Amino acid sequence: MATVTVRDETATGRAIDQWPLAGLPERISARELVRLRVREEVARFNAEQADVFRGLVRPTDAEATLNGYRVGRGRRLDWERQADAACAAFAHNGFVLLVGERQVEDLDEEIDLLVDPEVAFVRLVPLVGG
């Protein structure tokens, strides 16, 4: 089993958050990695019962805030719905996935987590007007 360091970054490379994700297989598709990351962050949010979600993608009916998405205290999120939204966001250039020093181009790409144990999710901000 592998442990990776998951890091969220801005488009300029500034780290926003970082945490270990343990118990992963040594080889995994990018899609499964995204889904497991989202499952973990939703589980943490639901356990904490916070009112601000600091996740990869915006939950439905959530308001964007400076440090996440305001969803309301006590609301539970569905990790599968969030994971589906994350995969769709990847397909529409909502974020870039970097494994080691390279960019992942396809969610079906297989990743060797023993070779590249650091994964960065770089959120992209759409340009105004297009």
Side-chain angles (χ1 to χ4, degrees), residues 53-75:
F53 176 64
R54 291 176 179 83
L56 185 59
V57 294
R58 181 180 183 165
T60 305
D61 299 330
E63 173 188 345
T65 66
L66 182 62
N67 295 321
Y69 306 103
R70 185 171 309 287
V71 296
R73 187 167 297 283
R75 177 176 167 198

Side-chain angles (χ1 to χ4, degrees), residues 1 23 29 34-35 40 49 53 57 76 85 87 96 115 124:
M1 300 305 266
S29 72
V34 168
R35 293 183 67 80
E40 176 68 22
Q49 302 252 324
F53 176 64
V57 294
R76 296 185 59 80
C87 290
V96 172
V115 172
L124 303 176

Side-chain angles (χ1 to χ4, degrees), residues 22-23 28 37 39 78 92 100 104 107 112 125:
I28 190 170
R37 174 248 160 92
R39 185 181 74 182
D78 178 344
H92 293 95
V104 173
L107 286 178
D112 186 334
V125 179

